[in-house]
Amino acid sequence: MPRCETPSGTKRRRTLSPRQDDRQETDRSPTISRSDLWFDDGSVVIQAEYTQFRVHRTLLARHSSVFRDMFSVPQPITNSEHLIEGCPVVHLSDSKQDIEYVIAALYDQ
């Protein structure tokens, strides 16, 4: 392959074609991880960003009117693909760190 040189005589860095860039982007799907705040007997999985927390629905509802209202609304029956270890998943738009602080405060009172 011939070398491409800039006017100053240094080599140009080789770049990928647009198709190769697109393929590499799709190959890098984010990995979802479990938080240390994962209770085996938890009844709901909260996901913030790409981190999941398995916690107790009753504890969340007891301390948060938002969760209490959310859990009081009947939910449609979901197939097992939308469950993690038998627990429904609630996706939140909050940051992982904010949710971690809230859950840790609830459990470590």
Side-chain angles (χ1 to χ4, degrees):
M1 174 182 276
R3 290 186 190 193
C4 296
E5 294 189 13
T6 61
S8 64
T10 59
K11 288 193 246 179
R12 279 191 314 177
R13 187 175 182 180
R14 187 167 65 177
T15 59
L16 299 174
S17 70
R19 277 192 173 166
Q20 288 172 318
D21 284 338
D22 290 344
R23 187 176 62 240
Q24 285 191 346
E25 284 300 315
T26 58
D27 291 345
R28 291 186 220 141
S29 59
T31 302
I32 296 176
S33 63
R34 286 186 177 179
S35 167
D36 291 336
L37 297 168
W38 186 272
F39 300 94
D40 291 335
D41 63 339
S43 55
V44 65
V45 174
I46 303 295
Q47 182 170 327
E49 296 175 343
Y50 298 104
T51 302
Q52 295 178 334
F53 306 83
R54 185 173 178 181
V55 294
H56 300 90
R57 178 180 155 151
T58 52
L59 185 68
L60 294 177
R62 180 176 182 195
H63 294 284
S64 166
S65 61
V66 172
F67 282 113
R68 183 174 38 254
D69 292 345
M70 181 187 345
F71 295 142
S72 70
V73 175
Q75 298 298 310
I77 297 173
T78 59
N79 62 27
S80 60
E81 291 177 14
H82 299 289
L83 300 176
I84 295 180
E85 296 182 8
C87 298
V89 180
V90 176
H91 295 270
L92 300 178
S93 60
D94 302 272
S95 75
K96 165 191 99 141
Q97 192 164 23
D98 287 347
I99 296 303
E100 190 167 15
Y101 288 147
V102 169
I103 292 172
L106 291 176
Y107 280 91
D108 297 334
Q109 292 183 3

